[in-house]
Amino acid sequence: NIKDIVTQYDKRAQEAVESIIRSAYPTHSFLGEEDVDPGAAASEAALETILEKSETGFVWICDPIDGTANFAAGLNLCAVTVSV
């Protein structure tokens, strides 16, 4: 199933991004899309929780494959999105 494959790549990409960020900024917090349930309410709750727990106030937010449908179709219209 293509959805399972994409999910596998999403998780692996997120793990790679998180590893790089944590090695450079070990005291910063990280919130990846793959760790949040679907929906706006879940995203809002996850962000509020991580901001409350953050010791530094720095939170890295990552969508490991932004444009998942394009990625799954083999189109080069996808990216890794990261914000602080």
Side-chain angles (χ1 to χ4, degrees), residues 17-73:
V17 171
E18 183 174 3
S19 176
I20 292 166
I21 291 170
R22 290 199 183 278
S23 68
Y25 304 98
T27 61
H28 291 191
S29 300
F30 182 90
L31 178 62
E33 181 185 36
E34 300 307 304
D35 299 327
V36 179
D37 290 332
S43 295
E44 183 178 351
L47 182 57
E48 287 176 0
T49 299
I50 200 140
L51 286 170
E52 289 171 5
K53 292 180 179 181
S54 176
E55 296 176 10
T56 64
F58 289 99
V59 177
W60 293 75
I61 301 170
C62 176
D63 181 348
I65 302 178
D66 193 356
T68 303
N70 290 336
F71 176 82

